[in-house]
Amino acid sequence: MSQTPSLGRVVLVLVNPITNNGADAAPATITRVWEQQPDGSSLVNLKAHLDAPTSSKWLTSVRLFDTEEAAQAHDGEAAYWPPRTA
């Protein structure tokens, strides 16, 4: 993993677009860091900040990946680091 997860860091989590005003990802704050997995991902707990009337959602033991592509390929809840912009 290119970045180290820690409390308070912001990541993007894959969500159901129906619950997020049409978007398939939402920003989320890391609230707990678990162990690193054999595939290089980490397990984290998150508080997702949705673009919807229900503005937040708690997620536990979510796999955190370096890229959106890796998160999309994972079967289950997944998050990824936001891409860097110039």
Side-chain angles (χ1 to χ4, degrees):
M1 179 156 292
S2 65
Q3 297 187 55
T4 303
S6 58
L7 293 180
R9 301 264 328 253
V10 175
V11 298
L12 297 175
V13 63
L14 299 175
V15 295
N16 184 339
I18 293 171
T19 64
N20 193 42
N21 201 19
D24 65 354
T29 304
I30 296 175
T31 60
R32 173 90 187 233
V33 179
W34 299 101
E35 70 278 356
Q36 188 167 13
Q37 300 300 295
D39 64 2
S41 66
S42 290
L43 285 179
V44 295
N45 288 0
L46 303 171
K47 183 173 184 182
H49 310 286
L50 303 174
D51 182 19
T54 304
S55 62
S56 65
K57 178 179 180 180
W58 291 100
L59 303 163
T60 59
S61 300
V62 175
R63 292 241 180 171
L64 176 60
F65 295 93
D66 283 332
T67 65
E68 180 179 3
E69 293 77 19
Q72 292 278 1
H74 177 68
D75 185 26
E77 290 182 331
Y80 58 97
W81 295 107
R84 294 196 182 253
T85 56

